[in-house]
Amino acid sequence: MVKFNTADARKRQKRDATPSVEQIKHDKITELAEKYWSTNAEVPPTSYNPQIVEDIYHEEIVRHKFQTKRIAVLEISQYLENYLWTNFDTEKSTYSHVMSMVCMVNEKIREGVPIWDVFHKDAEKFPGFFRRVLEIILDVEGTGLIEKCTVLTFIGGAFSSLEIELVRKQVQHLVSLHVWHCLSEGRREQEFLRFPKWKKYWKAMLKRDEKESEDKKGQMIFYRTFFKILIQNFLDLLDNQDYTQSELNKYFLLFAERFMELMVDLQALLPTRRYINVLIDDLHLIVKCQMSALLELGEGNLFSQLLDRLKFYAHFEISNETGDSLNELDVMTIHYNKITDLQQAVFIKFPEMRQFSLSNVNSIDTRAALIKHFKCLSFDNLKQLGSHLNLIHDDEDESLTEQLLIEILVFHYERRISQIKRLNAMALYPTEEMIWNENVVPSAYHSSSGQVLALPKLNLQFLTLHDYLLRNFELFRLESTYQIRQDIEDAVFRLKPWKSEDGSTLFTGWARMAQPILRFAVVEVAKPYLGESKPSRVRADVTINLNVRTEVKSEWESLRRHDACFLVTVKPPNTSPTRYDLKGDFESQVGLTYVRGCEVEGMLDASGRVIEDGPEPRPHIAGDTRTFRVVLDANQYKIDLDEISKGNEDVYENLNILLRRKPKENNFKAVLETIRDLMNINCVVPDWLHDIVLGYGDPSSAHYSKIPNELPVLDFNDTFLDMDHIKESLPGYNVVVKENTKNPLALERPFRLTFHDVKDKANGESDDTSEKLLHVEPYTLEKRGPYPRNAPNMNKIRFTATQVEAIRSGMQPGLTLVVGPPGTGKTDVATQIISNIYHNFPEQRTLIVTHSNQALNQLFEKIIALDVDERHLLRLGHGEEDLDTEKDFSRYGRVNFVLAKRIELLNEVERLKQSLGVTGDVSYTCETSGFFFVYHVLPRWEEFNIKVRCDAEKTIPVETVGEAFPFHTFFDDAPQPLFNSNSLEEDMETANGCFRYIKKLFEQLEEFRAFELLRTGIDRSRYLLVKEAKIIAMTCTHAALKRRELVDLIFQYDNILMEESAQILEIETFIPLLLQNPEQGRIRLKRWIMIGDHHQLPPVIKNMAFQKYGNMEQSLFARFVRLGVPTVELDAQGRARPSISDLYKWRYKSLGDLPHVKIENEYRVANPGFTFEYQIVNVESYNGIGESEPSPYFFQNLAEAEYVVGTFMYMRLLGYPAEKITILTTYNGQKALIRDVITSRCGNNPLIGFPNKISTVDKFQGQQNDYILLSLVRSKTVGHLRDVRRLVVAMSRARLGLYVFARVKLFANCFELTPAFKIFTQRPTKLHLFPVETYPSTRLFTQSIPENGEVVMNDMPQMVGYVYEMYMEKLKSLPQPEQMEVVEKPDVQAIEKPRPIPIEFEETFIIEKPAEVHLEVSIPIMEVPDEEPVVVTTTTEGDE
């Protein structure tokens, strides 16, 4: 089934028709590019002609009304890079030249590609260009609204790129303290009284400005007045607009929305809001917008929402001077002081308002009270009061009205509800009003439309932790709502509701995830808590009939406590079962009326009691009727009751559908509750991290080299293999070896390193010019026992210098960012860091967090193989069952391990007792074993030490150790002889090792003693979590879900290591920092190690609006890198052949190759049957058709699919193992098509079969295979491969062979992809085969092959025919060909047009291909009664 979202169909904006390759080829822009600026043109470009810029701007941009399609063709042709910028002249370049550049920059912003790189060449021209852009938008007469919208987009993009120094230098002029020249003298002095430090800055600034030249002063005046003029121009435009016309100018609306978006962005960043906030307030922008007639029109809905966001940030709870967050008491104090000042002013100047002056604050600070009192004043008195309070500049200003003055006063002195109270009163479950509100949850977002949305954005910086959490809360809630909407629409459509004659609702369909409600009753409404008005708890019983298939029934009965469900009311208008119009309005068709969320408490048994979750089997309940006890949202219930009291319908009387969701997609409520909990507490982040998380201060301040407690001595344990390895890994140090006191000749690991430069720095003796001294101290590990299993597992990897630096940084306190390009051993580095922390700081606890269960299991499996005691490992959450080990590392699995280990150790104690001839039951409990150790074992050991003690006067024979050793019998099962009598020291070390073995046995029993005292499994598992485990692993989702539980258990940890950090959402990265309560106001977190690669794909967000516009795809790791936090970039890959790694090396600073990929045979041998180890194969249209799009974003390319499958069959016929081949593509539609082609051609053929995987590039991130066949699909435009991160993932999955099938010219002309495709196009773009070879080959890939043996494939039909002939020849060579399936030769010539498979959507009919896309439709597999259709999901472009 493919998921069809009718809201998407209903609201999907019309996209510009995408030009075909032929159209682009013969387009006027392409012809001009070939002639004037293309670097790939056959003829050298003609010299610069300014008239060409004029003609292109007017004919291609203005005439087409800034159409995205035309601008995109220009931008892809590298118009900006090769023509506009290189020929830009600050003085001479025309208006058209500047606007053309602005359009190109905006297109880069829209596409999400690097924006400012081109300007770094000739950077001295950039200030002049930026000034010209600002002048354009201030030109009221000469610049149209559409051009102003374009410039506002450019300015917004500049303010979003403050990390780029080139841009930051220009925009800071616009928002610096200079803008206060635009304030009245009184208002400025009032601000100086609040923040005296600023007056000092102001005077110093004035002195500095006096020394500037006249030209410089003119520039400064322009910059400091820019926003004042811009705001005044906007307000004039708002006032002069004719709101009586039937339809407002769409460019006026867009300009108003873009302007408000820019103002919100300025207020949402501390560096830009600090001074501009006062200017916006002084110009009364918000008050005047509130009074605009635009808000009363339906077209002004989005403008109104943006204005609300601007009001929110204008009064945000932050000190503009210090940047510190203001708590509720601070905000209240400021408000009371303002009201008191107002009362004093009124008392002195206006006796008629004496009552106002003497009233208590709480009685006069509401909007209604303020308006009532101020209306008593005359217009002149209002102006006098406004001037006295420095709220207006000029009493004679004609624009002032009585209403405006009152609104200004109310705006400044009205009491506001705190954000925390508003948030706590919010219902976490979305309702129907929110779910289908397109302004709140857009179905589809197309940046090409220039659409503005009233959404929070995840910027580079945040105002406070509260702001950070709130933005993430809103975006996460909206993204969850979008997914919930899809689930509800799918389920309700499947149920096929219709209205019976008596008005009741009947259902003729069925849905796996939803059931009609038989009965619904609210059974408890608990009294509110003290100080609250909402009920403390609301519970209800929901009864449904589960007359469905057994497995579906089991799924419903398996609903667990805290699972979120939805209660839906539909009142269908149709009086009989009707076919739905999937492109029509969903709500009106099904009569959707209400949606309410609830949380499952449990299923009720026959006696009406909730069946508790637990290991015990559930009681059998007869029949199909099941009742679930659910908990309703108390906030929403109160809101609904308030509506009922106003005479509205009772929501809870007509609920008729209960809907559940898939468990993996149903964690939204727990995550939202966690974020809300964090906002309600005093959220404490370690001091050394606080500013970095918000994006301020020195980004390197948390690096180990900058923090005061850097450790000079580090035990690297088994990190280094030998002394040469140390010297290779630390080239900047002079290595001096300390003698091993136990074995002076031993220079073997483990090694303890002392960094003397760190010691000198701590002592204040640091000298950068002095030679760095490093003392290396080899030491011998103490024997842990006489058994071979007691020997520690040692590291076998020869880490590179950068890997060692990453390990060193991870061992030190502070923040460590490790950038791990593909194949550079990120997991090995992470494992070694964890091992070293475990051995260096045995009392500390380490938390491991990853994005996926797969990555967590890979990391955990490597940790298990290291020298880490198994009892200290714990894996939380689902997914531990996928671990490649027979051991169970879950909480209950570890409890069972401890209990089993306890019995095993007690048996050892019993054996030890018998070997010593002790009587009595000493091995009954851990406690009795402890007494046995103290009273029987230790005395014997002390007696032995006395016998073998030697001094200057006494010499002990070597044999004495063996003779006096008291535990011979116990160690009878150890390798014999126990003592070799070669030397006294060796035998004593053996004896000490044996005693350490015995001592550890009793130490473990002492640790396990608590498990004897704790009787229940839950208590034992909690003790294990908070006390016993030293290394705890979980996914980021589990951390978000279980935070409250972990905090309640007083869970504590010292270190966090995060793998896949670049794939984790901002908020899911942040939450693991706060899984513990602060101790005395401080968090005990000492280390935060983040490992990831921001050059690969970011977190997956399904809704394009939240992904692109809200920047929700930004990971905290990527933001830290943008901020300039120091990183360790691993610089040697060991996955792919060096020639293949060249395809993505360019994206990294200095990525090289490990030695083994150059010398090992598998990397040197050629790929049998292929001339080249990598190649891009040009695939032209077949029968005039390239890419097709049977449904939005469901791209397919039949020619490429056939070519890829043909190549796969060719490889299999040569003997390539199927498990070594993976087929990748960039779109789900193509994945489905390739799977269909393989199924029909060769899937069931034993000679060929299926490849290891058929997947999309996005899904295959983090995986690899020997041979990759990659289809790029698109033939009209580049599509989302233009995101270089996706290209890096695609190029880096192959180890030995990479064969890419694409429209070569299209991708080669894309600027962002140039480095990779320049390498590709150095080789032929027709597939070169060498079919005389079979797998495996002995030919080196550097060897040339004879020309007569090479076969060149000119196109796809030739390849398909050639493979068919090979197959038939293969059949003839087999001993019994009659038993093999004979494949019919594919008649590719006969295909006139690829036809999409018709898919039945219940009673509707859609032409669609089955795959994972944005729609949800049924694909009947076979005729089976009550069979549930196959569910396949897909996403939008870029969202796989």
Side-chain angles (χ1 to χ4, degrees), residues 1013-1134:
L1013 304 175
L1014 300 170
R1015 305 309 299 170
T1016 66
I1018 189 68
D1019 288 340
R1020 287 168 171 171
S1021 70
R1022 287 172 175 172
Y1023 177 83
L1024 184 76
L1025 173 62
V1026 299
K1027 292 293 183 183
E1028 184 72 10
K1030 300 294 184 187
I1031 298 173
I1032 304 101
M1034 66 182 74
T1035 62
C1036 55
T1037 303
H1038 185 84
L1041 294 177
K1042 299 296 183 180
R1043 181 194 173 271
R1044 186 179 293 179
E1045 178 185 328
L1046 293 171
V1047 169
D1048 289 344
L1049 290 173
I1050 318 180
F1051 177 60
Q1052 297 285 333
Y1053 52 94
D1054 304 271
N1055 316 295
I1056 297 179
L1057 184 140
M1058 289 186 178
E1059 255 268 44
E1060 298 184 318
S1061 297
Q1063 290 179 261
I1064 306 177
L1065 291 174
E1066 276 253 3
I1067 190 61
E1068 292 186 336
T1069 311
F1070 181 72
I1071 287 174
L1073 292 178
L1074 302 168
L1075 299 182
Q1076 56 187 342
N1077 277 328
E1079 297 175 344
Q1080 298 178 345
R1082 300 176 68 86
I1083 291 287
R1084 67 184 264 182
L1085 187 69
K1086 301 171 180 65
R1087 294 171 186 80
W1088 188 13
I1089 303 116
M1090 302 176 73
I1091 303 175
D1093 184 6
H1094 59 292
H1095 294 305
Q1096 296 188 56
L1097 287 168
V1100 174
I1101 305 298
K1102 291 186 178 181
N1103 187 290
M1104 291 290 286
F1106 310 140
Q1107 177 192 348
K1108 298 296 183 187
Y1109 190 90
N1111 199 24
M1112 196 178 175
E1113 68 172 3
Q1114 172 180 266
S1115 66
L1116 187 57
F1117 183 91
R1119 184 161 68 87
F1120 279 170
V1121 173
R1122 283 182 65 197
L1123 284 167
V1125 175
T1127 61
V1128 181
E1129 185 167 307
L1130 306 183
D1131 60 1
Q1133 68 86 26

Side-chain angles (χ1 to χ4, degrees), residues 74 380 386 683 1096:
L74 276 168
D380 290 336
C683 190
Q1096 296 188 56

Side-chain angles (χ1 to χ4, degrees), residues 772-808:
K772 292 183 178 180
L773 186 62
L774 176 67
H775 271 147
V776 178
E777 179 187 354
Y779 65 93
T780 305
L781 284 174
E782 296 177 333
K783 283 190 176 182
R784 302 176 184 177
Y787 302 101
R789 65 175 181 272
N790 298 137
N793 298 323
M794 303 292 275
N795 163 54
K796 300 177 179 62
I797 299 170
R798 196 174 190 86
F799 292 111
T800 64
T802 52
Q803 286 177 321
V804 168
E805 173 58 24
I807 293 167
R808 177 189 175 185

Side-chain angles (χ1 to χ4, degrees), residues 554-763:
S554 176
E555 289 174 8
W556 278 96
E557 291 178 340
S558 299
L559 284 174
R560 296 178 297 177
R561 180 183 290 270
H562 303 307
D563 280 352
C565 291
F566 286 88
L567 303 162
V568 182
T569 299
V570 291
K571 297 180 180 179
N574 50 302
T575 55
S576 62
T578 309
R579 293 179 61 176
Y580 295 116
D581 176 12
L582 298 182
K583 295 184 179 180
D585 180 72
F586 167 78
E587 294 171 271
S588 61
Q589 287 188 84
V590 302
L592 190 134
T593 311
Y594 302 117
V595 175
R596 295 293 180 267
C598 62
E599 184 178 279
V600 173
E601 189 174 274
M603 190 170 69
L604 302 186
D605 60 17
S607 60
R609 290 176 298 187
V610 174
I611 301 172
E612 298 293 337
D613 294 333
E616 297 80 13
R618 288 179 166 240
H620 174 73
I621 304 175
D624 296 325
T625 302
R626 298 289 182 270
T627 300
F628 294 91
R629 177 72 47 81
V630 298
V631 179
L632 303 179
D633 189 305
N635 285 326
Q636 185 62 52
Y637 190 78
K638 179 182 180 299
I639 294 169
D640 291 333
L641 289 184
D642 292 343
E643 290 299 315
I644 293 171
S645 66
K646 297 176 184 177
N648 293 321
E649 183 182 16
D650 186 349
V651 174
Y652 301 97
E653 280 188 355
N654 301 306
L655 297 169
N656 50 20
I657 297 175
L658 176 65
L659 179 138
R660 63 185 174 93
R661 302 180 70 222
K662 295 175 184 175
K664 287 187 178 180
E665 302 170 357
N666 205 25
N667 301 321
F668 73 97
K669 181 175 180 286
V671 176
L672 292 175
E673 282 181 333
T674 295
I675 302 173
R676 189 162 69 177
D677 287 347
L678 290 174
M679 284 192 276
N680 274 283
I681 64 172
N682 183 17
C683 190
V684 179
V685 174
D687 294 338
W688 49 273
L689 266 180
H690 184 273
D691 287 350
I692 294 177
V693 168
L694 294 180
Y696 301 111
D698 179 7
S700 64
S701 60
H703 189 255
Y704 74 86
S705 61
K706 295 285 187 74
I707 59 177
N709 56 337
E710 182 181 0
L711 304 173
V713 180
L714 292 174
D715 185 350
F716 277 85
N717 198 25
D718 59 350
T719 305
F720 301 107
L721 304 186
D722 48 46
M723 281 300 302
D724 290 338
H725 190 191
I726 296 177
K727 293 175 182 176
E728 294 165 7
S729 304
L730 299 163
Y733 284 90
N734 177 23
V735 178
V736 177
V737 182
K738 280 186 176 181
E739 191 177 87
N740 186 337
T741 54
K742 291 188 176 180
N743 187 358
L745 300 178
L747 292 179
E748 298 177 351
R749 59 178 174 174
F751 299 102
R752 188 178 293 111
L753 275 59
T754 302
F755 296 87
H756 283 270
D757 56 321
V758 178
K759 271 189 172 182
D760 295 342
K761 185 171 66 174
N763 297 329

Side-chain angles (χ1 to χ4, degrees), residues 1139-1140 1143 1167 1169-1179 1203 1207 1210 1268-1272 1291 1294 1296-1302 1304 1316-1317 1319-1330 1345 1350-1354:
S1139 56
I1140 293 177
L1143 295 168
N1167 296 336
F1170 293 94
T1171 304
F1172 305 105
E1173 74 280 13
Y1174 71 85
Q1175 196 177 0
I1176 190 166
V1177 181
N1178 186 51
V1179 184
Y1203 215 145
T1207 307
Y1210 169 77
I1268 298 292
L1269 306 178
L1270 172 63
S1271 168
L1272 299 186
M1291 298 296 105
L1296 305 176
L1298 174 64
Y1299 301 95
V1300 182
F1301 300 83
V1304 174
F1317 280 84
I1319 298 171
F1320 269 129
T1321 52
Q1322 290 173 0
R1323 291 183 173 179
T1325 57
K1326 293 181 179 179
L1327 186 60
H1328 284 233
L1329 305 178
F1330 189 49
I1345 60 175
E1350 188 177 55
V1351 178
V1352 178
M1353 293 294 129
N1354 293 308

